[in-house]
């Protein structure tokens, strides 16, 4: 029964790591794994987002649903999300916001009393839990902190008022994009570029230059000293085939050969700020592992249900 | 500098040649210094004139101008023409109107005038109208003592006021003031508010009046016809060539009259004179000869004989008005009806004879040379009738009616032998007839004016407020007057003369295709202009008066006839001189800017037109191909020291109508001008209208696609106006996050579409995905929808009135029960019994807890008022889609015209796109949402770009919407470099549209492929896709057709009373019909039981008692528990069988018509 083991040992090399941005290489694995990781990051890593809004007073220009929708899309810091319960699985409460295991309550009170337009922003949301607050972008370098007033929810003119109670819950991006922690998750195959140096030498400098410039991105350059074409940034290559076409048009097919390495991927992960980009990757791996556990235990569905709840059911196509 | 000045007027080409032909080094250095430093002299960018034009004229200026003309001038003319009411009993008693004017819009509330604003009227169902004030002078007093009294500002009625016209409160207001009045600054005005609804008087297109039109009739006979229209009379005169003889056709005569007889009746007794008048060309004489002979054969030689002959031909029954007995009836008809537009002064029929001769001559020319035929579809032969003219007709009719009414009442008073009180003329004025008449006609749109024989329906329409563009498009719509004859294609075809006047793209599909048109961006429609000064000016400029010319002299070879508004003034020996003199006067502003002078070489005529309804457009004047507008003019315009009117006044620009355009040689661009060029277009994109102007790169699309978009742009959801949330429309579609198109056009900026957009910029990938994208369906990204793409708000109005009844009872609205039966359905009610704003309303919820008295007629039983038991509940319940949550958005209370309280609710429903909702791009590419797919399954690029929607590439080859592809490229470039790109029609040469080369360069600069294709990975597998995918932003519109409003299914449900079959239509929860064709399929298949089940069991089964003897239907006697045949009077031979109820009905209906269908039963 035991087949040959296809086990591989993928390697991760981190290139760049900021709070909301990560770039890393994933090597020695398959596209399916890389894609699974990407998909989980987009759709299955849980975060906290406002899910229920009770509006007490709203005399603003935007209607209730409009504001509720906008509130939902505000990213909240969700480090706690992995340890929280889904409110549908929570036995301690009925999801009314009183329960600390599954929900966080927010309050917003704003009234404009001056003639100047009042911007109601995510900073005006008061959280019952100091670990779950609207994401603050002001500390990210480069911006003046005083100008950053959070995400605008609505603008009020004199006399208009907005008062509401909102409950944030844990959820995943599959249910609604507001729970997706990922702004951008993408990967590319690492290109492997071979320049046929002999053939390249047959080109004049002018030709080389025009060939180098035929690429819309700056992949190649000419060494100012040796006047040889060198690969400056292989990852800038967008698989657009422009250089290959150009080479053919110049009558030099085979001037360059470009392959995609089938087993190495360069990931770019940008987070919404709900969780750190690095944490996003780790959480994704965690969720992926849980899913694989569910697959392993799927013979015994009852047990799987006990252990993984919804996740197990989902794996069986629920 | 001197060098520059010298060359300023030279075209660029010559300049360049100069460079190459003077290679001497000395000269070159000279040029270098002086010239290369100076900016390259290109064609002057005249684009800025377009916004300036629109600023001055506005998008609906034609409506406003026309209405202003009526209100300021037209109404005064009408009143001046009918200024006396004289008693027929005592002619010394009279009333005279000395002046008339329109006041400020106001309404009378308890005898006090209250100022009105348009928005107030919209909200409280009032008419936005202003009082018509007259100054009068009249005789009062008793029989003996008569004094003349004067009274000022007597109100005789209320005139609905066109919004933004000169009498509207919005006139000349700036944005802040408009906002205070609750008005949108981008709203064009030009419509009326009648009983709270906005009504547009559509522009009516008709054949021009008082002009000779040469045409063929159904039998192929060539005829010359004139539709005459004067204040006094309207008639149609046709001169026809039948069997080589010429006849006159006039409604007053029973048959066709030989034209020579008519000429003789008008005093042209000599045949020679007639021949001379027509022209001495032997070919003409030859054509005229049979007619002369025919006339002679009837023995008509003298005027008297001719009149007698005509007398016999008169229609017997024509009750032709009151004409004095001493005059012959025929003479009167010839004077007043025959070519009525040619006046007969002091019995001088000569002008009329000459006119008839010219008609004959024109007709003969057409017979000899088919090219001389007039084209009825030619825009120069058309007149557009605008709201001012129509309202003026209406007012004239009503005013005259009022005068007759008043004189009748006066006569009635005076006829009384003993008058007790002093009678006052002014009291009998100021009835409601004018107010009501105007209001009714404008609100129904049925113009029924007997006096002018005007019976037309659907002249007004409710202003389309579906989107901002729909509103604008509606205001520029031109509807045809003649019936929509389906077969002829001529009127539907695109006329070359429509260029620049009517939009070539914007016309509906189907029935009205090509008949309903839309004005182009810069079109102006003229209003009437004073004729007499122009006529005397013509005589001053050397026109030889018709009176002084003999028939022979009329057609001398080197002279041209001068025809002014269809009237022959005389002839001129130097027509070109005359025309250029007139034009010079016009350019100098001495005569009206819209007067057109048109030299028709072929007809040897100079046409001068100053009548209203001609379409014209501004053009830049060029002298020998050199534009009069120079750089410094445009600079002054930009600096704000020069306005569009200054350009006009300085003779840099002039308006040309369609006829005069034929005398001009118009260059599209300054660079293309030759020495013969007389005019230069301002901007080529102005040939399109408002709706077509939204399309980016329309000149790259297949033309029907632009037409489709023109229709679809009006259905797109977006913003309606800045005041959209303060309005109380019955139905309003809004977009939650409307955007400004990334790829704009100049028209978009000019009309304000960038401020009130109706769509969103979606990143589109052109690829196949999932198979749910066949037949133009699009695949949408769920995350995009989550984030608000395509989300819309639907607002519906519900209304209720608190009715008052005759017996002084009225409905009441009571506090809801909070517990017990029905309390569930009353949860959203406030304590006052009316739903409160912000509450979520579900189907079957009560939104107003109203009760009405049981007895509404007759006297009340008790004087104590009604007790609770005297009321029956008449609650109103909300009917909406099941399972959807709508919200009560606003509640408004106001009193309506009958001073009942009227309560309006606005119900709001926010919808996100679902499968089946309709979307379209701006290129006539509509499609429904085929499926919604999770973002992780969507393809992505290595930059992390993931499309919002996927469109199938099969949409492109057959539609050939290259413009859409360029829009994608331009949008992508725009996103990457942060600049809105332009795609104005024909804009590439003038820089109002970006070239694909430039766009590609931008793309490459930002690391994209020049062709807009990206390398994309599959979201499902993570593998790269086989092909490069064309991906970028395209502006997508969400159209108003949504599944939620259309989906429908039914099991069992309501039935029609008469036939007992299921009802029809979604609104009545109807069934889905198995129609004839479906039935045929089932018959062919042989599924008889299925047919039986569908057509009877599930439709209208009915059990009947059939008598086996007589075959008629009986009935079931429930006492005896048997069937009885009412014909045989027994129940012996009764069988029971099932029949469709409709069949039973048919049998009975036939019986009622004395047809006896008998059923013959056999054992099955």
């Amino acid at each position: 029964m035991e087949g040959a083991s296809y086990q591989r040992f993928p390697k991760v090399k981190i290139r760049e790591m900021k709070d909301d941005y990560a770039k890393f290489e994933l090597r020695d694995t398959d596209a399916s794994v890389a894609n699974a990781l990407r998909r989980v990051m987009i759709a299955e890593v849980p975060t906290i987002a406002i899910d229920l809004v009770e509006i007490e007073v709203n005399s603003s220009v935007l209607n209730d649903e409009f504001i509720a929708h906008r509130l939902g899309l505000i990213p909240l810091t969700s480090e706690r999300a992995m340890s929280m319960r889904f409110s549908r699985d929570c036995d301690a409460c009925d999801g009314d916001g009183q329960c600390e295991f599954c929900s966080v309550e927010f309050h917003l009170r704003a009234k404009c009393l001056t003639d100047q337009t009042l911007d109601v922003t995510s900073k005006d949301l008061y959280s019952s839990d100091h670990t779950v607050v609207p994401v603050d972008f002001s500390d990210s370098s480069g911006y003046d902190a005083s100008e950053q007033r959070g995400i605008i929810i609505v603008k009020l003119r004199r006399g208009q008022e907005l008062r509401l109670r909102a409950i944030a819950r844990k959820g995943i991006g599959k249910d609604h994009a507001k729970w997706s922690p990922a702004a951008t998750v993408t990967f590319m195959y690492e290109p492997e570029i071979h320049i046929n140096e002999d053939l390249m030498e047959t080109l004049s400098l002018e030709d080389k230059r025009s060939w180098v410039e035929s690429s819309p991105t700056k992949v190649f350059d000419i060494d100012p000293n040796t006047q040889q074409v060198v690969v400056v940034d292989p990852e800038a290559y967008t698989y657009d085939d422009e250089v290959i076409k150009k080479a053919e048009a110049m009558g030099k097919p085979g001037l360059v050969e470009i392959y995609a390495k089938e087993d190495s991927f360069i990931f770019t992960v940008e987070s919404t700020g709900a969780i750190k980009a690095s944490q996003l990757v780790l959480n994704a791996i965690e969720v992926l592992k849980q899913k694989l556990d569910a697959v392993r235990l799927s013979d015994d569905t009852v047990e799987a249900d006990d252990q993984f709840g919804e996740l197990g059911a989902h794996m069986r196509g629920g | 500098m001197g060098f520059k000045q010298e060359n300023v007027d030279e075209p660029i080409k010559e300049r360049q040649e100069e460079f190459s032909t003077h290679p001497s080094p000395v000269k070159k250095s000279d040029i270098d210094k002086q010239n290369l430093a100076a900016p390259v002299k290109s064609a002057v960018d005249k684009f800025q004139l377009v916004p300036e034009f629109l600023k001055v004229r506005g998008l609906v200026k034609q409506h406003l101008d026309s209405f202003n003309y009526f209100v300021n001038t037209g109404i005064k003319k009408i009143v001046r023409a009918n200024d006396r009411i004289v008693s027929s009993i005592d002619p010394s008693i009279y009333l005279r109107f000395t002046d008339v004017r329109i006041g400020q819009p106001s309404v009378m509330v308890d005898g006090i005038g209250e100022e009105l604003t348009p928005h107030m009227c919209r909200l409280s169902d009032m008419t936005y109208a202003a009082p018509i004030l007259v100054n009068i002078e009249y005789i009062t007093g008793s029989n003996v003592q008569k004094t003349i009294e004067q009274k000022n500002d007597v109100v005789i009625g209320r005139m609905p006021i066109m919004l933004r016209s000169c009498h509207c409160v919005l006139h000349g207001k700036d944005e802040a003031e408009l906002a205070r009045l609750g008005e949108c600054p981008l709203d064009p005005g030009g419509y009326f508010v009648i009983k709270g609804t906005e009504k547009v008087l559509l522009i009516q297109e008709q054949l021009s009046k008082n002009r000779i039109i040469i045409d063929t009739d159904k039998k192929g006979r060539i005829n010359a016809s004139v539709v005459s229209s004067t204040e006094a009379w309207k008639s149609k005169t046709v001169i026809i060539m039948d069997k080589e003889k010429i006849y006159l056709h006039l409604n007053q005569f029973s048959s066709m009259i030989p034209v020579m007889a008519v000429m003789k009746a008008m005093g042209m007794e000599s045949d020679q004179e007639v021949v001379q008048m027509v022209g001495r060309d032997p070919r003409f004489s030859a054509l005229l000869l049979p007619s002369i002979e025919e006339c002679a054969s009837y023995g008509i030689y003298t005027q008297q004989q001719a009149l007698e002959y005509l007398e016999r031909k008169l229609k017997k029954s024509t009750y032709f008005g009151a004409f004095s007995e001493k005059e012959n009836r025929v003479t009167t008809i010839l004077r007043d009806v025959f070519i009525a537009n040619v006046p007969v002064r002091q019995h001088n029929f000569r002008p009329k004879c000459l006119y008839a001769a010219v008609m004959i001559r024109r007709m003969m020319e057409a017979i000899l040379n088919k090219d001389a035929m007039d084209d009825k579809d030619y825009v120069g032969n058309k007149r557009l009738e605008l709201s001012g003219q129509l309202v003026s007709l209406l007012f004239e009719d009503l005013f005259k009616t009022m005068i007759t009414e008043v004189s009748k009442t006066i006569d009635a008073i005076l006829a009384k032998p003993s008058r007790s009180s002093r009678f006052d003329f002014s009291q009998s004025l100021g009835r409601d007839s004018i107010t009501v008449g105007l209001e009714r006609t404008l609100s129904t749109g049925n113009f029924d004016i007997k006096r002018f024989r005007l019976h037309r329906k659907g002249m007004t329409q409710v202003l389309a407020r579906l989107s901002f563009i729909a509103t604008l498009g509606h205001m520029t719509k031109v509807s045809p007057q003649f019936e929509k004859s389906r077969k002829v294609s001529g009127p539907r075809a695109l006329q070359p003369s429509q260029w620049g006047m009517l939009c070539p793209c914007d016309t509906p599909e189907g029935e009205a295709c090509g008949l309903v048109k839309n004005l182009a961006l810069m079109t102006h429609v003229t209003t009437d202009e004073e004729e007499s000064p122009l006529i005397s000016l013509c005589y001053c400029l050397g026109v030889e008066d018709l009176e002084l010319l003999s028939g022979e002299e009329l057609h001398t070879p080197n002279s041209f006839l001068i025809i002014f508004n269809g009237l022959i003034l005389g002839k001129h020996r130097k027509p070109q001189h005359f025309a250029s003199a007139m034009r010079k006067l016009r350019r100098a502003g001495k005569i009206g800017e819209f007067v057109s002078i048109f030299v028709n070489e072929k007809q040897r005529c100079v046409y001068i037109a100053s009548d209203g309804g001609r379409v014209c457009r501004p053009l830049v004047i060029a002298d020998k191909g050199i534009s009069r507008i120079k750089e410094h003019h445009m600079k002054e315009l930009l600096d704000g020291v020069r306005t569009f009117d200054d350009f006009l006044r300085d003779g840099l620009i002039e308006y040309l109508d369609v006829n005069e355009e034929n005398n001009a040689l118009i260059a599209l661009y300054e660079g293309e001008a030759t020495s013969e060029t007389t005019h230069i277009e301002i901007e080529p994109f102005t040939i399109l209208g408002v709706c077509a102007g939204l399309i980016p790169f329309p000149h790259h699309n297949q033309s029907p696609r632009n037409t489709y978009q023109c229709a679809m742009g009006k259905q797109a959801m977006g913003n309606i106006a800045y005041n959209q949330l303060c309005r109380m429309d019955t139905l309003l579609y809004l977009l939650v996050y409307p955007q400004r198109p990334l790829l704009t056009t100049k028209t978009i900026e000019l009309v304000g579409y960038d401020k009130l957009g109706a769509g969103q910029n979606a990143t589109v990938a052109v690829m196949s995905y999932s198979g749910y994208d066949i037949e133009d369906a699009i695949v949408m990204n769920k995350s995009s929808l989550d984030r608000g793409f395509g989300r819309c708000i639907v607002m519906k109005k519900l209304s209720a009135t608190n009715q008052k009844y005759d017996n002084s009872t009225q409905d009441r609205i009571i506090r809801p029960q909070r517990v017990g039966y029905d309390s569930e359905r009353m949860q959203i009610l406030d304590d006052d019994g009316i739903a409160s704003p912000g509450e979520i309303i579900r189907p079957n919820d009560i939104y107003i807890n109203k009760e009405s008295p049981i007895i509404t007629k007759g006297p009340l039983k008790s004087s104590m008022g009604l007790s609770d038991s005297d009321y029956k509940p008449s609650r109103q319940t909300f009917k909406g889609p099941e399972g959807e949550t709508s919200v009560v958005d606003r509640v408004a209370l106001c009193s309506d015209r009958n001073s009942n309280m009227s309560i309006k609710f606005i119900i709001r429903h926010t919808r996100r796109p679902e499968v089946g909702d309709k979307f379209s791009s701006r290129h006539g590419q509509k499609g429904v949402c085929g499926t919604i797919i999770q973002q992780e399954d969507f393809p992505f690029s290595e930059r992390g770009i993931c499309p919002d929607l996927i469109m199938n590439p099969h949409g492109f080859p057959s539609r050939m919407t290259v413009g859409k592809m360029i829009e994608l490229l331009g949008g992508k470039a725009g996103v990457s470099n942060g600049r809105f790109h332009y795609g104005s029609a024909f804009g590439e040469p003038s820089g109002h549209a970006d070239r694909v080369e430039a766009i590609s360069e931008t793309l490459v600069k930002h690391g994209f492929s020049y062709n807009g294709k990206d390398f994309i990975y599959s979201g499902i597998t993570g593998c790269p896709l086989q092909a490069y995918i064309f991906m970028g932003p395209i502006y997508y519109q969400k159209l108003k057709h949504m599944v939620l409003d259309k989906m429908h299914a039914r099991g069992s449900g309501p039935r029609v009373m008469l036939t007992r079959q299921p009802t029809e239509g979604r609104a009545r929860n109807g069934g889905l019909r198995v129609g004839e064709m479906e039935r045929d399929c089932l018959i062919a298949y042989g599924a008889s039981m299925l047919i039986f089940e569908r057509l009877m069991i599930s439709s209208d089964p009915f059990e009947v008692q059939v008598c086996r003897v007589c075959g008629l239907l009986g009935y079931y006697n429930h006492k005896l528990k048997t069937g009885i045949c009412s014909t045989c009077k027994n129940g012996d031979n009764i069988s029971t069988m099932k029949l469709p109820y409709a069949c039973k009905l048919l049998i009975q209906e036939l019986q009622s018509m004395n047809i006896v269908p008998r059923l013959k039963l056999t054992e099955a």
Side-chain angles (χ1 to χ4, degrees), chain B residues 273 276-277 280 549-556:
Chain B
E273 204 174 355
Q276 277 178 333
M277 272 181 175
R280 265 208 320 182
L549 294 173
S550 73
E552 178 73 28
E553 282 169 317
L554 200 62
H555 301 293
T556 45

Side-chain angles (χ1 to χ4, degrees), chain B residues 126-146:
Chain B
M126 284 189 286
T127 300
Y128 185 60
I132 307 163
L133 305 169
V134 287
N135 293 349
I136 49 171
E137 181 185 283
Y138 59 103
I139 306 281
T140 63
S142 53
N143 283 336
V144 227
Q145 253 183 323
K146 280 171 187 151

Side-chain angles (χ1 to χ4, degrees), chain B residues 99-137:
Chain B
D99 192 21
V100 61
R101 63 194 181 83
I102 305 280
Q104 278 296 300
S106 62
V107 68
M108 292 301 269
V109 179
D110 305 325
I112 305 155
E114 199 176 287
E115 288 239 331
L116 271 181
T117 67
H119 202 62
M120 235 157 79
C121 298
R122 281 188 205 118
L123 292 181
S124 55
D125 296 347
M126 284 189 286
T127 300
Y128 185 60
I132 307 163
L133 305 169
V134 287
N135 293 349
I136 49 171
E137 181 185 283

Side-chain angles (χ1 to χ4, degrees), chain A residues 14 42 45 82 91-92 102 113 122 124 157 199 228 257 265 269 290 309 316:
Chain A
I14 295 166
I42 291 171
V45 173
M82 282 299 271
D91 1 313
C102 68
L113 299 168
S122 58
D124 295 312
R157 68 172 282 177
L199 207 55
Q228 271 187 320
E257 284 183 336
F265 307 92
V269 176
Q290 284 175 17
R316 294 193 309 274

Side-chain angles (χ1 to χ4, degrees), chain A residues 31-32 35 38-39 42-43 61 63-66 69-70 73 173-178 180 182 184-189 216-217 237-242 245 268, chain B residues 725 736-737 782-783 786-788 791 793 838 887 908 910 912 934-937 940-944 1004 1007-1010 1015 1017-1024 1028:
Chain A
S32 57
N35 196 37
R38 181 191 72 91
R39 290 167 62 91
I42 291 171
V61 287
N63 59 47
D64 301 353
E65 305 95 279
F66 204 143
H69 177 234
R70 290 184 71 83
L73 290 175
K174 196 161 223 142
D175 292 333
H176 195 283
K178 68 185 172 185
S180 178
T184 304
V185 182
T186 181
F187 62 78
M188 66 180 287
Y189 287 65
T217 47
Y237 185 64
T238 56
Y239 293 97
D240 46 30
D241 281 359
E242 288 300 322
K245 279 184 207 152
T268 311
Chain B
L725 295 177
V736 172
Y737 293 104
K782 180 171 168 289
S783 293
D786 286 343
R787 293 183 180 114
R791 198 166 283 231
I793 303 170
V887 182
R908 150 171 46 95
T910 307
R912 56 180 284 165
Q934 295 282 348
Q935 188 189 346
E936 64 264 27
D937 291 335
F940 61 96
S941 79
E942 55 201 25
R943 294 176 177 230
V1004 170
F1008 288 101
S1009 173
Y1010 70 93
F1015 184 71
Y1017 297 84
S1018 159
I1020 301 169
T1021 64
C1023 298
Y1028 297 106

Side-chain angles (χ1 to χ4, degrees), chain A residues 20-312:
Chain A
D20 57 354
Y21 179 81
K23 195 162 190 170
F24 61 89
E25 292 165 16
L26 178 67
R27 289 182 192 281
D28 296 338
T29 189
D30 205 54
S32 57
V33 175
N35 196 37
L37 193 62
R38 181 191 72 91
R39 290 167 62 91
V40 168
M41 279 194 261
I42 291 171
E44 310 249 12
V45 173
T47 60
I48 299 165
I50 290 174
D51 196 27
L52 194 89
V53 181
E54 271 177 32
I55 289 172
E56 287 171 48
V57 180
N58 174 18
S59 54
S60 73
V61 287
L62 302 188
N63 59 47
D64 301 353
E65 305 95 279
F66 204 143
I67 288 172
H69 177 234
R70 290 184 71 83
L71 286 171
L73 290 175
I74 294 172
L76 306 174
T77 52
S78 314
E79 275 81 23
R80 261 186 66 200
M82 282 299 271
S83 58
M84 265 170 78
R85 290 183 196 161
F86 285 109
S87 81
R88 55 174 181 265
D89 299 336
C90 181
D91 1 313
C93 69
D94 47 357
D96 58 356
Q98 307 300 315
C99 165
E100 52 172 329
F101 302 112
C102 68
S103 51
V104 179
E105 194 176 312
F106 286 87
H107 283 276
L108 190 149
R109 286 162 187 279
K111 184 166 188 180
C112 182
L113 299 168
T114 58
D115 276 332
Q116 206 179 5
T117 310
L118 176 72
D119 292 354
V120 182
T121 67
S122 58
K123 292 235 167 121
D124 295 312
L125 275 172
Y126 290 100
S127 169
S128 62
D129 183 341
H130 66 92
T131 59
V132 180
V133 290
V135 169
D136 187 10
F137 295 100
S138 57
D139 57 354
S140 59
S141 54
Y143 290 102
D144 187 10
S146 62
E147 271 179 39
Q148 283 286 321
R149 281 228 58 228
I151 299 161
I152 292 182
I153 296 164
V154 67
K155 290 181 178 179
L156 300 181
R157 68 172 282 177
R158 191 189 189 97
Q160 290 177 339
E161 192 182 0
L162 182 63
R163 215 157 65 214
L164 56 87
R165 189 176 83 108
I167 293 162
R169 291 171 177 156
K170 179 183 167 178
I172 57 169
K174 196 161 223 142
D175 292 333
H176 195 283
K178 68 185 172 185
W179 278 303
S180 178
T184 304
V185 182
T186 181
F187 62 78
M188 66 180 287
Y189 287 65
E190 194 180 339
E192 210 175 350
I193 303 172
H194 299 287
I195 297 173
N196 188 335
E197 296 290 347
D198 296 342
L199 207 55
M200 186 62 82
E201 281 314 300
T202 62
L203 293 178
S204 66
L205 186 61
E206 196 79 343
D207 284 346
K208 281 181 188 170
R209 192 159 285 142
S210 77
W211 181 79
V212 164
E213 272 160 17
S214 70
S215 171
T217 47
K218 204 158 178 55
V219 183
F220 304 97
D221 205 355
I222 295 171
D223 194 301
N225 302 320
T226 63
Q227 308 215 315
Q228 271 187 320
V229 175
V230 286
V231 179
V232 226
D233 184 8
E235 276 147 42
Y237 185 64
T238 56
Y239 293 97
D240 46 30
D241 281 359
E242 288 300 322
V243 281
I244 294 165
K245 279 184 207 152
K246 177 73 179 175
E248 274 167 18
M250 290 165 84
K252 310 272 179 188
L255 187 65
V256 70
E257 284 183 336
I258 304 173
Y259 306 105
K261 281 190 197 164
E262 296 274 310
D263 61 347
S264 37
F265 307 92
I266 299 149
F267 264 83
T268 311
V269 176
E270 280 174 41
S271 148
T272 58
I275 44 180
K276 286 197 176 100
S278 54
Q279 196 61 43
L280 171 57
V281 180
L282 294 177
N283 287 359
I285 294 168
E286 184 65 28
V287 173
L288 199 55
K289 269 158 75 183
Q290 284 175 17
K291 281 169 161 290
L292 291 172
D293 285 347
V295 176
R296 200 181 317 156
L297 292 164
S298 61
D299 313 331
D300 193 347
T301 49
V302 181
E303 196 183 328
D305 269 0
D306 283 350
Q307 217 170 338
F308 303 107
E310 184 76 0
L311 203 60

